[in-house]
Each structure stands twice: as C-alpha cells, then as structure tokens.
Amino acid sequence: MELQIDDSVLVKNYIQGDERSLEILINRHNQRISSFIYSKVLNQSITDDIFQDTFIKVIRTLKRGSYSEEGKFLPWVMRIAHNLIIDYFRKKNRLPKFECNDNFNIFSIIGDGKLNAEKQLIKNQIDFDIKLMIEELPGDQQEVITMRMYKDMSFKEISENTGVSINTALGRMRYGLINLRKMIEKHNIVLTNY
Amino acid sequence: MEKIYAKKKQTCELVNAQPKTVQFLLNYSKSLHIVDYNGLKFESNKN
C-alpha cells in the first residue's frame, strides 16, 4: 500500500524548495481541477489555459510566502480556478463576437475600401476601353470630355480654356457621350459594373 | 409501458490538463525566484 503524503506536508516541502512536491500536488489534483474547469467552459484548450493560469497563481503565492496553511490546499486552488473562470466569462462577454454565415458576412461591414485583384483588373480593362473610344471621337468632343472627366474641370473653366461658350461646351459633352454610347452598342462592348 | 423518460445524460466529464501544460508549470516553478529586499518581493525568471 502506497503511503500518501498529506497536501499540507507537500506544500510545506515545496515552499522549502522541493520541486518534486509541486509535481505530486499537480498530478494528484489534475483531474479534479481540470474536470471542474471543463464542466464550466466545455472546451479542452480553454480548460488547459485556465488550469495553467490557476497554478501560476498558486506557484507565485507559495513562493512569495503569502500562503497560510490551514489544511485546505485543494479548496484554495479550486477557488482560484473558480475566480479565473468568472474572469474568462466576463472577458468573453465584453468582446464583441461576430460569426459569419450565409446571411451575414463581417467583411461586408469592415474592409479596406480597395478593390480586390480581380475587380482591379476589370477596372483597368474598362478604363483602357473607354480611353480608346474617346480617342475615336471628333477632336472638340474629345477635348471637352477629357477636360471634364479626367481633369475634373467645370464647364465654366472648359469654356474659358477652349474659347467657346458654356452652352457649346455642354453640347459637345452631350454629343460626345451620345457618340460613346453608339460606339458601345455598335461594337457590343461590355463595361462590367464593378 | 413505454419508456417516456430519456436517460439522464452524464454531465460530468473527467478530463486532465495536457502533459505539456503540467510540464510548463513545473519548468515555470523551477525558473521562478523571489528575491526579498527590505520587505519588497521581486520576481525573477531564470530562463
């Protein structure tokens, strides 16, 4: 029959520097403490984390000499584990939790605002096609569209720069856009919406 | 008579902390030293 050393003796030996006593204590109460934690959190890896944090507190308290031996080692460790479980649930409730499913995707709310690689390629292709079509327009319409769309100039500025009235500039813009639409229809060009 | 009561599920599951967790704690304990200086306690970790 194996003689079981009392917890209080092991704790005393550990405080005096016997590391082997800690090993016996951990192994002796491992299942009981782990099962207690697991019954609350129902997750093995979280159980391991809380078990580890519990014994880190135990080790620090014992080594600091702050533990008062009253023959209640296990209830004391269980109390520490219990408090850490409460801390875990408090922390878990504080953190917002988002789960992605068919109806909701977190990336529809957060994003960096940039196009992904595929959409960027499509955009480049569309920009290139539009540029080619603008080059096919009569010079005056080409000039107005370029100034308005690429240089972001107002019609007043365009009229001042080209030496025509605002109405003429507006008219050239209008005919330019009509001609572009005609070209798109004629050549069956698809400008995919991105 | 048909059994109308479901068997009560075993709610208490026995688990153990992983051996690596235990080993970590033993190593942590060996490396932790407390230095007492004028009533103040300083922790040092010899790793």
Side-chain angles (χ1 to χ4, degrees):
Chain A
M1 191 179 145
E2 197 184 325
L3 183 70
Q4 186 161 317
I5 310 165
D6 199 65
D7 282 355
S8 57
V9 178
L10 288 169
V11 168
K12 200 176 161 189
N13 291 345
Y14 175 66
I15 292 169
Q16 286 168 356
D18 179 19
E19 294 288 334
R20 172 84 187 123
S21 298
L22 178 73
E23 194 176 346
I24 299 169
L25 281 169
I26 292 177
N27 289 331
R28 183 180 289 173
H29 301 299
N30 185 344
Q31 192 178 65
R32 202 161 172 185
I33 297 165
S34 295
S35 301
F36 167 70
I37 300 167
Y38 186 83
S39 71
K40 308 291 178 207
V41 300
L42 301 171
N43 181 305
Q44 181 64 55
S45 59
I46 295 164
T47 301
D48 273 342
D49 286 350
I50 295 176
F51 181 87
Q52 185 177 298
D53 290 348
T54 303
F55 269 94
I56 284 177
K57 275 186 185 264
V58 168
I59 291 164
R60 290 176 66 194
T61 309
L62 293 178
K63 289 222 170 190
R64 279 172 165 263
S66 316
Y67 175 72
S68 60
E69 176 58 59
E70 291 166 3
K72 290 173 182 173
F73 176 74
L74 184 61
W76 174 60
V77 181
M78 292 290 249
R79 174 52 59 184
I80 295 173
H82 179 257
N83 291 342
L84 288 171
I85 292 166
I86 291 170
D87 287 350
Y88 161 74
F89 281 112
R90 278 188 187 144
K91 199 174 168 188
K92 195 180 159 200
N93 287 337
R94 264 208 310 273
L95 293 171
K97 191 180 173 189
F98 294 105
E99 280 179 2
C100 294
N101 56 35
D102 293 341
N103 303 322
F104 174 73
N105 187 350
I106 186 66
F107 294 109
S108 65
I109 295 173
I110 55 165
D112 61 1
K114 288 180 186 169
L115 297 172
N116 65 26
E118 188 191 356
K119 285 181 177 172
Q120 187 61 49
L121 280 174
I122 294 169
K123 185 183 182 301
N124 292 347
Q125 183 65 52
I126 292 169
D127 290 349
F128 181 74
D129 288 347
I130 290 173
K131 207 174 171 190
L132 281 182
M133 286 192 294
I134 290 171
E135 282 169 12
E136 294 299 313
L137 290 172
D140 51 355
Q141 293 170 18
Q142 204 182 108
E143 192 179 42
V144 175
I145 287 184
T146 309
M147 285 178 171
R148 182 77 193 112
M149 304 311 291
Y150 293 105
K151 295 178 184 169
D152 208 25
M153 290 163 75
S154 66
F155 282 102
K156 194 182 171 207
E157 288 168 330
I158 293 169
S159 76
E160 284 165 6
N161 274 277
T162 54
V164 295
S165 70
I166 291 178
N167 278 339
T168 309
L170 280 165
R172 285 176 181 175
M173 180 78 187
R174 183 169 173 268
Y175 282 109
L177 292 175
I178 289 168
N179 287 331
L180 282 176
R181 286 198 190 101
K182 277 183 188 169
M183 265 190 266
I184 289 166
E185 277 174 28
K186 190 181 170 189
H187 296 102
N188 224 2
I189 297 167
V190 179
L191 300 175
T192 312
N193 205 2
Y194 50 84
Chain B
M1 191 179 161
E2 273 186 63
K3 282 184 181 174
I4 54 170
Y5 298 105
K7 264 190 180 175
K8 202 172 181 184
K9 216 178 162 186
Q10 177 80 15
T11 48
C12 180
E13 203 172 324
L14 295 176
V15 292
N16 274 299
Q18 285 183 26
K20 65 177 182 185
T21 307
V22 176
Q23 197 53 49
F24 168 81
L25 288 166
L26 297 174
N27 291 337
Y28 173 76
S29 169
K30 282 174 194 161
S31 65
L32 183 70
H33 286 264
I34 308 287
V35 182
D36 198 330
Y37 179 77
N38 286 346
L40 295 169
K41 283 175 179 161
F42 297 97
E43 286 183 15
S44 63
N45 213 303
K46 292 178 183 173
N47 246 332

